[in-house]
Amino acid sequence: MARSKMRLRDLADESLAGVFARPARTALTTLGTVLGIASLVATLGISRTAGNQIVDRFNELAATQVTVQARSSGGGNGSSAAQRASAGALPWSVEDRLDRLNGVVASGAVADVPNPGGVKTVPFIDPTTISERTLPVFAASPGLLEAVRGHIAAGRWFDFGHVQREDRVAVLGADIAGELGIVRIDNLPGIFIGETLFTVIGILDEAPRDRGLTGGVIIPSSTAAERFGVTKPERVVIETELGAATLIATQAAIALNPNAPESLSVNAPRDPVRTKEAVQNDVNQLFLLLGLVSLIVGAIGIANVTLVTVMERTGEIGLRRALGASRRHIAAQFLTESVALGVVGGIVGASVGILLVVSVAASREWTPVLDLWLPFVAPVVGALVGLLAGLYPSIRAARMEPVDALRSGT
Amino acid sequence: MTTTCIEPASTASPDVPVVDLRGLSRVFPTEPPVHALRRIDLTVMPGDHVAVVGASGSGKSTLLNVLGLLDRPTEGTYLLDEIDTADLSDRERAAERGQRIGFVFQAFHLLSHRSVEENVMLAELYRGEPRAGRLQRSIEALQQVGLGNRIGFLPTRLSGGERQRVAIARAIVGRPSLLLCDEPTGNLDSHNTGSVLELFDQLRDQGLTILVITHDANVAAHARRHVRMVDGTLTEIG
């Protein structure tokens, strides 16, 4: 018995003729897929491109910092007396010990000064602002300013000379300088910490790695040891070169306390490579989600228009059935048309997406980074979108009875 | 006008009917049921030119749909070129439609964005035959209906009569056994009606079997046999 047959090339010809019969409508129909694919390609490309920039920015601050602190517990049972004595001890001379390590940019030590007494200004500078406040006082080594990326708004930071001479000098955090009525330091204002007079030599307005410093008074470590009995720092902050943090983290404890390095706790940033991957994954997931939403909207657009097209072409469906087309032929034709729309949308969308990536990268002076497979996969994704979007309309078209289709179509 | 002759495909002997209906009924299962065809017997021999007349709702279109394998009868036998159509699957019926039956509709049913020869070529699309020669055959069919000078035209640029002749070319290009025409001149003026009826006469004279459903007495007058449908029953009237 005869079977209704259709050649693949005929199917392709008929489908393309159907797609391009109304060019304006085809362009509007594919717009959804174009936008979806374009946003997918653009977001993937831009996130790849921007990922490197984000990681670089991230590295500038977080990935170049190592912090060393003493562990709270003492030595074990097997420790010698000397080891127990030095266990958890951090020296003030961190700059001497750490700055010679390859990869260290700066280092400094800091400690809270316990119970220093109230802080007050010298009365004769401005009698109306006499006030005594309880403020945090820090003891610091000279290298701390650079290690915390501090910035002096006025005056200067103390140096090794001040430390050697145990000078009674102080740097005020910008947050408290105003409260104490000290807005300039060229007249060498004085403050009392407890009963000891200190000369204010500078105002610290930024310390990104230890923001608490801008809310306190900072004095040289030797002066703190002499006046307030602060014998050792609580923590050491190290600024490293980019990529050197992991290495320095392994060396810092030995350099600072060769006798009991295990008594020190070292905080290092995560491995930059893993950090980069994590950041990139987060960005990719967000943008992929946005692209997928766009793509679903595009698919719904194709499905809608294809369904409307099926309704409009009822007469044509009836005619084709009368001429010998089986239900499969009708379904195949509308499905192929829908897939063709998806492929066209995928190709145009990929092109638009790549242009966007290159444009954004050029405008920000970044190097555009794009996965090679992306332009080739995009039309396949478009075809898949077209296939899924065309399924229901195609089935509707195939299910039409030829008599009804001929009667309702003209 | 006519330069080419397309022979009908029927290979059956002249003594074997193209259409043989025995006790054919079609009931639409509505509430109440509609008996569109009631135990119809009809034999159409090769080369017959049959006009089916009758009032609206008498069952003419249902008869055409059943004859064209577009609809299935509720009971009875329909032999098309000696093939019992009751045994055919949906796909086989589609194939037999494409191979053995040509349709001419009142509304032409031409694809407006395809050229006239492409419209004619549609008739051979679902036969699975080689593409070679398809264009040539469509041009010959157009020449046969007097539209050799309209090759490459879109249907929108043709008159109503020309469009119907394109539809006739599409119906005959596959060399069908049976040409079914549903009010073929319903949308035409008298001049175009005359030229289309002349064309049917020529096709009949060339041996094509034609069955026309019409309200128009002028159209019916061109047929050699006349049958009347009344409330689903069929009567031979000459």
Side-chain angles (χ1 to χ4, degrees), chain A residues 51-66 149 209 238-246 269-277 279:
Chain A
N52 291 331
Q53 311 299 325
I54 292 168
V55 170
D56 286 349
R57 298 275 170 88
F58 176 77
N59 282 344
E60 280 179 23
L61 194 64
T64 55
Q65 177 179 335
V66 175
R149 291 196 178 181
R209 286 189 166 157
I238 308 168
E239 158 95 357
T240 72
E241 288 174 0
L242 200 59
T246 309
R270 296 173 66 187
D271 180 2
V273 174
R274 277 187 291 166
T275 305
K276 178 180 175 179
E277 286 171 358
V279 171

mmCIF file of all heavy atoms in Angstrom, chain A residues 51-66 149 209 238-246 269-277 279:
data_model
loop_
_atom_site.group_PDB
_atom_site.id
_atom_site.type_symbol
_atom_site.label_atom_id
_atom_site.label_comp_id
_atom_site.label_asym_id
_atom_site.label_seq_id
_atom_site.Cartn_x
_atom_site.Cartn_y
_atom_site.Cartn_z
ATOM 1 N N GLY A 51 35.677 39.122 35.186
ATOM 2 C CA GLY A 51 36.134 38.261 36.271
ATOM 3 C C GLY A 51 37.584 38.538 36.630
ATOM 4 O O GLY A 51 37.932 38.682 37.808
ATOM 5 N N ASN A 52 38.402 38.672 35.606
ATOM 6 C CA ASN A 52 39.820 38.938 35.856
ATOM 7 C C ASN A 52 40.003 40.281 36.559
ATOM 8 O O ASN A 52 40.815 40.421 37.467
ATOM 9 C CB ASN A 52 40.598 38.941 34.540
ATOM 10 C CG ASN A 52 40.675 37.550 33.950
ATOM 11 O OD1 ASN A 52 40.650 36.571 34.690
ATOM 12 N ND2 ASN A 52 40.750 37.461 32.644
ATOM 13 N N GLN A 53 39.207 41.271 36.111
ATOM 14 C CA GLN A 53 39.334 42.593 36.718
ATOM 15 C C GLN A 53 38.879 42.555 38.170
ATOM 16 O O GLN A 53 39.516 43.135 39.049
ATOM 17 C CB GLN A 53 38.471 43.607 35.947
ATOM 18 C CG GLN A 53 38.662 43.560 34.448
ATOM 19 C CD GLN A 53 40.086 43.876 34.034
ATOM 20 O OE1 GLN A 53 40.732 44.690 34.664
ATOM 21 N NE2 GLN A 53 40.593 43.198 33.017
ATOM 22 N N ILE A 54 37.767 41.845 38.410
ATOM 23 C CA ILE A 54 37.251 41.762 39.778
ATOM 24 C C ILE A 54 38.278 41.104 40.686
ATOM 25 O O ILE A 54 38.549 41.568 41.787
ATOM 26 C CB ILE A 54 35.933 40.945 39.797
ATOM 27 C CG1 ILE A 54 34.834 41.727 39.081
ATOM 28 C CG2 ILE A 54 35.511 40.616 41.216
ATOM 29 C CD1 ILE A 54 33.598 40.902 38.796
ATOM 30 N N VAL A 55 38.871 40.043 40.192
ATOM 31 C CA VAL A 55 39.852 39.322 41.003
ATOM 32 C C VAL A 55 41.070 40.193 41.264
ATOM 33 O O VAL A 55 41.606 40.228 42.364
ATOM 34 C CB VAL A 55 40.255 38.010 40.299
ATOM 35 C CG1 VAL A 55 41.438 37.386 40.996
ATOM 36 C CG2 VAL A 55 39.084 37.055 40.313
ATOM 37 N N ASP A 56 41.471 40.965 40.253
ATOM 38 C CA ASP A 56 42.624 41.852 40.451
ATOM 39 C C ASP A 56 42.333 42.871 41.550
ATOM 40 O O ASP A 56 43.157 43.129 42.423
ATOM 41 C CB ASP A 56 42.968 42.578 39.146
ATOM 42 C CG ASP A 56 43.636 41.626 38.170
ATOM 43 O OD1 ASP A 56 43.989 40.504 38.609
ATOM 44 O OD2 ASP A 56 43.792 41.985 36.997
ATOM 45 N N ARG A 57 41.124 43.469 41.478
ATOM 46 C CA ARG A 57 40.740 44.445 42.505
ATOM 47 C C ARG A 57 40.719 43.771 43.880
ATOM 48 O O ARG A 57 41.172 44.335 44.870
ATOM 49 C CB ARG A 57 39.363 45.019 42.207
ATOM 50 C CG ARG A 57 39.274 45.773 40.912
ATOM 51 C CD ARG A 57 39.716 47.228 41.104
ATOM 52 N NE ARG A 57 39.839 47.879 39.816
ATOM 53 C CZ ARG A 57 38.847 48.487 39.212
ATOM 54 N NH1 ARG A 57 37.684 48.522 39.788
ATOM 55 N NH2 ARG A 57 39.032 49.057 38.032
ATOM 56 N N PHE A 58 40.154 42.578 43.900
ATOM 57 C CA PHE A 58 40.054 41.835 45.154
ATOM 58 C C PHE A 58 41.449 41.555 45.709
ATOM 59 O O PHE A 58 41.714 41.725 46.885
ATOM 60 C CB PHE A 58 39.295 40.530 44.897
ATOM 61 C CG PHE A 58 39.202 39.632 46.090
ATOM 62 C CD1 PHE A 58 38.310 39.904 47.110
ATOM 63 C CD2 PHE A 58 40.014 38.526 46.193
ATOM 64 C CE1 PHE A 58 38.222 39.079 48.202
ATOM 65 C CE2 PHE A 58 39.931 37.701 47.292
ATOM 66 C CZ PHE A 58 39.040 37.977 48.295
ATOM 67 N N ASN A 59 42.334 41.164 44.812
ATOM 68 C CA ASN A 59 43.697 40.827 45.218
ATOM 69 C C ASN A 59 44.406 42.016 45.846
ATOM 70 O O ASN A 59 45.206 41.868 46.753
ATOM 71 C CB ASN A 59 44.499 40.371 44.008
ATOM 72 C CG ASN A 59 44.157 38.935 43.648
ATOM 73 O OD1 ASN A 59 43.577 38.232 44.462
ATOM 74 N ND2 ASN A 59 44.477 38.528 42.442
ATOM 75 N N GLU A 60 44.101 43.209 45.339
ATOM 76 C CA GLU A 60 44.819 44.393 45.781
ATOM 77 C C GLU A 60 44.765 44.554 47.284
ATOM 78 O O GLU A 60 45.697 45.011 47.904
ATOM 79 C CB GLU A 60 44.234 45.641 45.116
ATOM 80 C CG GLU A 60 44.725 45.829 43.694
ATOM 81 C CD GLU A 60 44.091 47.048 43.090
ATOM 82 O OE1 GLU A 60 43.660 47.935 43.822
ATOM 83 O OE2 GLU A 60 44.028 47.091 41.862
ATOM 84 N N LEU A 61 43.633 44.190 47.881
ATOM 85 C CA LEU A 61 43.502 44.415 49.310
ATOM 86 C C LEU A 61 43.576 43.104 50.097
ATOM 87 O O LEU A 61 44.465 42.899 50.903
ATOM 88 C CB LEU A 61 42.173 45.122 49.588
ATOM 89 C CG LEU A 61 42.041 45.704 50.974
ATOM 90 C CD1 LEU A 61 43.066 46.802 51.185
ATOM 91 C CD2 LEU A 61 40.637 46.259 51.174
ATOM 92 N N ALA A 62 42.625 42.220 49.797
ATOM 93 C CA ALA A 62 42.479 41.032 50.643
ATOM 94 C C ALA A 62 43.546 39.982 50.394
ATOM 95 O O ALA A 62 44.005 39.338 51.334
ATOM 96 C CB ALA A 62 41.102 40.433 50.430
ATOM 97 N N ALA A 63 43.908 39.812 49.148
ATOM 98 C CA ALA A 63 44.787 38.683 48.827
ATOM 99 C C ALA A 63 46.247 38.969 49.113
ATOM 100 O O ALA A 63 47.095 38.154 48.831
ATOM 101 C CB ALA A 63 44.599 38.295 47.369
ATOM 102 N N THR A 64 46.545 40.152 49.642
ATOM 103 C CA THR A 64 47.950 40.483 49.906
ATOM 104 C C THR A 64 48.183 40.729 51.393
ATOM 105 O O THR A 64 49.142 41.382 51.758
ATOM 106 C CB THR A 64 48.353 41.729 49.099
ATOM 107 O OG1 THR A 64 47.443 42.786 49.418
ATOM 108 C CG2 THR A 64 48.334 41.473 47.608
ATOM 109 N N GLN A 65 47.274 40.237 52.213
ATOM 110 C CA GLN A 65 47.403 40.491 53.653
ATOM 111 C C GLN A 65 47.585 39.186 54.420
ATOM 112 O O GLN A 65 46.853 38.225 54.207
ATOM 113 C CB GLN A 65 46.154 41.207 54.165
ATOM 114 C CG GLN A 65 46.211 41.432 55.675
ATOM 115 C CD GLN A 65 44.981 42.167 56.187
ATOM 116 O OE1 GLN A 65 44.345 42.895 55.443
ATOM 117 N NE2 GLN A 65 44.657 41.978 57.454
ATOM 118 N N VAL A 66 48.592 39.188 55.301
ATOM 119 C CA VAL A 66 48.795 38.059 56.225
ATOM 120 C C VAL A 66 48.814 38.629 57.635
ATOM 121 O O VAL A 66 49.459 39.662 57.877
ATOM 122 C CB VAL A 66 50.121 37.329 55.917
ATOM 123 C CG1 VAL A 66 50.385 36.238 56.966
ATOM 124 C CG2 VAL A 66 50.084 36.721 54.511
ATOM 125 N N ARG A 149 48.215 49.956 55.147
ATOM 126 C CA ARG A 149 47.912 50.902 54.061
ATOM 127 C C ARG A 149 47.295 52.187 54.625
ATOM 128 O O ARG A 149 46.299 52.700 54.113
ATOM 129 C CB ARG A 149 46.969 50.288 53.032
ATOM 130 C CG ARG A 149 47.629 49.191 52.227
ATOM 131 C CD ARG A 149 46.841 48.894 51.002
ATOM 132 N NE ARG A 149 47.485 47.873 50.194
ATOM 133 C CZ ARG A 149 47.002 47.441 49.051
ATOM 134 N NH1 ARG A 149 45.869 47.937 48.592
ATOM 135 N NH2 ARG A 149 47.635 46.527 48.358
ATOM 136 N N ARG A 209 43.171 48.300 56.544
ATOM 137 C CA ARG A 209 43.333 46.947 57.059
ATOM 138 C C ARG A 209 43.150 46.856 58.569
ATOM 139 O O ARG A 209 43.224 45.779 59.126
ATOM 140 C CB ARG A 209 44.705 46.419 56.675
ATOM 141 C CG ARG A 209 44.727 46.071 55.220
ATOM 142 C CD ARG A 209 45.963 45.363 54.839
ATOM 143 N NE ARG A 209 45.783 44.780 53.528
ATOM 144 C CZ ARG A 209 46.764 44.465 52.736
ATOM 145 N NH1 ARG A 209 47.993 44.686 53.103
ATOM 146 N NH2 ARG A 209 46.505 43.923 51.560
ATOM 147 N N ILE A 238 51.055 41.927 57.854
ATOM 148 C CA ILE A 238 52.058 41.875 56.781
ATOM 149 C C ILE A 238 51.384 42.170 55.440
ATOM 150 O O ILE A 238 50.351 41.573 55.120
ATOM 151 C CB ILE A 238 52.729 40.478 56.698
ATOM 152 C CG1 ILE A 238 53.249 40.066 58.077
ATOM 153 C CG2 ILE A 238 53.831 40.467 55.651
ATOM 154 C CD1 ILE A 238 53.650 38.597 58.147
ATOM 155 N N GLU A 239 51.964 43.100 54.709
ATOM 156 C CA GLU A 239 51.518 43.377 53.333
ATOM 157 C C GLU A 239 52.469 42.632 52.403
ATOM 158 O O GLU A 239 53.687 42.797 52.499
ATOM 159 C CB GLU A 239 51.580 44.887 53.081
ATOM 160 C CG GLU A 239 51.665 45.294 51.616
ATOM 161 C CD GLU A 239 50.300 45.614 51.025
ATOM 162 O OE1 GLU A 239 49.306 45.453 51.753
ATOM 163 O OE2 GLU A 239 50.247 46.000 49.854
ATOM 164 N N THR A 240 51.892 41.781 51.541
ATOM 165 C CA THR A 240 52.753 40.993 50.646
ATOM 166 C C THR A 240 52.563 41.435 49.201
ATOM 167 O O THR A 240 51.617 42.164 48.890
ATOM 168 C CB THR A 240 52.420 39.493 50.724
ATOM 169 O OG1 THR A 240 51.175 39.282 50.074
ATOM 170 C CG2 THR A 240 52.347 39.012 52.159
ATOM 171 N N GLU A 241 53.450 40.957 48.383
ATOM 172 C CA GLU A 241 53.246 41.168 46.949
ATOM 173 C C GLU A 241 52.108 40.261 46.487
ATOM 174 O O GLU A 241 51.805 39.266 47.150
ATOM 175 C CB GLU A 241 54.525 40.842 46.177
ATOM 176 C CG GLU A 241 55.611 41.893 46.385
ATOM 177 C CD GLU A 241 56.915 41.500 45.742
ATOM 178 O OE1 GLU A 241 56.973 40.412 45.137
ATOM 179 O OE2 GLU A 241 57.871 42.277 45.865
ATOM 180 N N LEU A 242 51.525 40.615 45.331
ATOM 181 C CA LEU A 242 50.412 39.832 44.801
ATOM 182 C C LEU A 242 50.858 38.395 44.522
ATOM 183 O O LEU A 242 51.864 38.174 43.849
ATOM 184 C CB LEU A 242 49.901 40.491 43.510
ATOM 185 C CG LEU A 242 48.501 40.121 43.062
ATOM 186 C CD1 LEU A 242 47.487 40.472 44.125
ATOM 187 C CD2 LEU A 242 48.168 40.844 41.764
ATOM 188 N N GLY A 243 50.171 37.447 45.103
ATOM 189 C CA GLY A 243 50.496 36.035 44.858
ATOM 190 C C GLY A 243 51.486 35.458 45.852
ATOM 191 O O GLY A 243 51.744 34.261 45.829
ATOM 192 N N ALA A 244 52.038 36.329 46.729
ATOM 193 C CA ALA A 244 53.062 35.825 47.653
ATOM 194 C C ALA A 244 52.492 35.491 49.026
ATOM 195 O O ALA A 244 53.206 34.989 49.895
ATOM 196 C CB ALA A 244 54.178 36.848 47.790
ATOM 197 N N ALA A 245 51.216 35.782 49.245
ATOM 198 C CA ALA A 245 50.646 35.646 50.588
ATOM 199 C C ALA A 245 50.734 34.214 51.114
ATOM 200 O O ALA A 245 51.062 33.994 52.279
ATOM 201 C CB ALA A 245 49.197 36.115 50.579
ATOM 202 N N THR A 246 50.453 33.255 50.249
ATOM 203 C CA THR A 246 50.464 31.862 50.684
ATOM 204 C C THR A 246 51.870 31.456 51.141
ATOM 205 O O THR A 246 52.034 30.788 52.174
ATOM 206 C CB THR A 246 49.990 30.948 49.541
ATOM 207 O OG1 THR A 246 48.763 31.460 49.036
ATOM 208 C CG2 THR A 246 49.776 29.523 50.021
ATOM 209 N N PRO A 269 45.034 34.824 53.203
ATOM 210 C CA PRO A 269 43.862 34.766 52.316
ATOM 211 C C PRO A 269 43.814 33.433 51.609
ATOM 212 O O PRO A 269 44.801 32.703 51.553
ATOM 213 C CB PRO A 269 44.102 35.899 51.329
ATOM 214 C CG PRO A 269 45.577 36.048 51.297
ATOM 215 C CD PRO A 269 46.050 35.731 52.676
ATOM 216 N N ARG A 270 42.664 33.119 51.064
ATOM 217 C CA ARG A 270 42.534 31.885 50.286
ATOM 218 C C ARG A 270 43.468 31.950 49.086
ATOM 219 O O ARG A 270 43.893 33.033 48.669
ATOM 220 C CB ARG A 270 41.105 31.733 49.779
ATOM 221 C CG ARG A 270 40.105 31.581 50.882
ATOM 222 C CD ARG A 270 38.714 31.608 50.329
ATOM 223 N NE ARG A 270 38.465 30.442 49.482
ATOM 224 C CZ ARG A 270 37.354 30.296 48.766
ATOM 225 N NH1 ARG A 270 36.435 31.246 48.768
ATOM 226 N NH2 ARG A 270 37.164 29.224 48.026
ATOM 227 N N ASP A 271 43.762 30.794 48.592
ATOM 228 C CA ASP A 271 44.579 30.712 47.383
ATOM 229 C C ASP A 271 43.942 31.581 46.296
ATOM 230 O O ASP A 271 42.753 31.423 45.983
ATOM 231 C CB ASP A 271 44.622 29.248 46.939
ATOM 232 C CG ASP A 271 45.454 29.069 45.692
ATOM 233 O OD1 ASP A 271 46.000 30.069 45.215
ATOM 234 O OD2 ASP A 271 45.534 27.925 45.213
ATOM 235 N N PRO A 272 44.685 32.505 45.692
ATOM 236 C CA PRO A 272 44.106 33.417 44.697
ATOM 237 C C PRO A 272 43.425 32.690 43.540
ATOM 238 O O PRO A 272 42.413 33.146 43.022
ATOM 239 C CB PRO A 272 45.305 34.218 44.205
ATOM 240 C CG PRO A 272 46.315 34.113 45.280
ATOM 241 C CD PRO A 272 46.086 32.797 45.950
ATOM 242 N N VAL A 273 43.978 31.540 43.138
ATOM 243 C CA VAL A 273 43.376 30.826 42.015
ATOM 244 C C VAL A 273 41.972 30.355 42.386
ATOM 245 O O VAL A 273 41.017 30.512 41.638
ATOM 246 C CB VAL A 273 44.249 29.622 41.592
ATOM 247 C CG1 VAL A 273 43.553 28.804 40.520
ATOM 248 C CG2 VAL A 273 45.608 30.114 41.118
ATOM 249 N N ARG A 274 41.859 29.827 43.605
ATOM 250 C CA ARG A 274 40.547 29.345 44.045
ATOM 251 C C ARG A 274 39.580 30.513 44.239
ATOM 252 O O ARG A 274 38.396 30.426 43.951
ATOM 253 C CB ARG A 274 40.689 28.527 45.323
ATOM 254 C CG ARG A 274 41.074 27.087 45.027
ATOM 255 C CD ARG A 274 41.045 26.259 46.288
ATOM 256 N NE ARG A 274 42.116 26.652 47.194
ATOM 257 C CZ ARG A 274 42.159 26.283 48.469
ATOM 258 N NH1 ARG A 274 41.220 25.557 48.979
ATOM 259 N NH2 ARG A 274 43.165 26.646 49.227
ATOM 260 N N THR A 275 40.149 31.619 44.756
ATOM 261 C CA THR A 275 39.316 32.814 44.938
ATOM 262 C C THR A 275 38.787 33.290 43.600
ATOM 263 O O THR A 275 37.605 33.607 43.447
ATOM 264 C CB THR A 275 40.150 33.932 45.588
ATOM 265 O OG1 THR A 275 40.715 33.434 46.786
ATOM 266 C CG2 THR A 275 39.273 35.137 45.880
ATOM 267 N N LYS A 276 39.690 33.303 42.625
ATOM 268 C CA LYS A 276 39.297 33.755 41.283
ATOM 269 C C LYS A 276 38.174 32.878 40.737
ATOM 270 O O LYS A 276 37.172 33.368 40.219
ATOM 271 C CB LYS A 276 40.512 33.695 40.365
ATOM 272 C CG LYS A 276 40.229 34.103 38.940
ATOM 273 C CD LYS A 276 41.501 33.996 38.131
ATOM 274 C CE LYS A 276 41.222 34.291 36.672
ATOM 275 N NZ LYS A 276 42.425 34.226 35.862
ATOM 276 N N GLU A 277 38.349 31.564 40.912
ATOM 277 C CA GLU A 277 37.332 30.643 40.405
ATOM 278 C C GLU A 277 35.998 30.851 41.117
ATOM 279 O O GLU A 277 34.942 30.831 40.511
ATOM 280 C CB GLU A 277 37.799 29.201 40.596
ATOM 281 C CG GLU A 277 38.886 28.806 39.606
ATOM 282 C CD GLU A 277 39.492 27.444 39.933
ATOM 283 O OE1 GLU A 277 39.089 26.829 40.944
ATOM 284 O OE2 GLU A 277 40.379 27.023 39.186
ATOM 285 N N VAL A 279 34.882 33.597 42.616
ATOM 286 C CA VAL A 279 34.266 34.858 42.187
ATOM 287 C C VAL A 279 33.652 34.678 40.807
ATOM 288 O O VAL A 279 32.514 35.073 40.541
ATOM 289 C CB VAL A 279 35.313 35.994 42.173
ATOM 290 C CG1 VAL A 279 34.733 37.243 41.513
ATOM 291 C CG2 VAL A 279 35.755 36.314 43.582
#
